[in-house]
Amino acid sequence: MSAQPDHAPVPPAPTAAAQLLAESRVPAFEQDWSRSLEDSRHSYSLSPLYDVVRTWQARLEAAPYVAEFLASGRDDSDGVDLADAIGEQR
């Protein structure tokens, strides 16, 4: 029997945030990271930091596909906001 539940997500690599910061240099990531760092300090939990890293990893992985779609000129007026689609809180 393990100490963690089976559904617990695997935390990102310890260097994942530094890699994201070096790759993206997006002010939104820096703001999200700062906010989650402050949340972690108050809650004594690393979960907010892990959530930011996972979210931004997914965004960076999807970026080429999004750029390709936008460049294709397809109609996206009936689209759904990504935050709504993945249940992200604003």
Side-chain angles (χ1 to χ4, degrees):
M1 183 178 267
S2 67
Q4 292 185 348
D6 293 335
H7 64 278
V10 177
T15 58
Q19 288 172 344
L20 281 171
L21 186 59
E23 289 175 14
S24 66
R25 280 294 171 200
V26 176
F29 171 72
E30 293 176 12
Q31 291 171 357
D32 287 353
W33 181 254
S34 296
R35 198 172 347 191
S36 65
L37 189 59
E38 193 61 33
D39 290 347
S40 290
R41 286 182 183 140
H42 291 290
S43 66
Y44 298 104
S45 171
L46 295 176
S47 293
L49 298 171
Y50 290 155
D51 292 342
V52 167
V53 169
R54 280 191 208 97
T55 299
W56 278 92
Q57 283 174 328
R59 287 177 179 167
L60 289 175
E61 287 174 11
Y65 303 107
V66 172
E68 182 180 331
F69 176 80
L70 293 174
S72 72
R74 294 186 187 133
D75 179 25
D76 66 344
S77 61
D78 65 341
V80 176
D81 188 285
L82 177 62
D84 294 335
I86 62 174
E88 186 176 288
Q89 295 195 7
R90 298 178 197 188

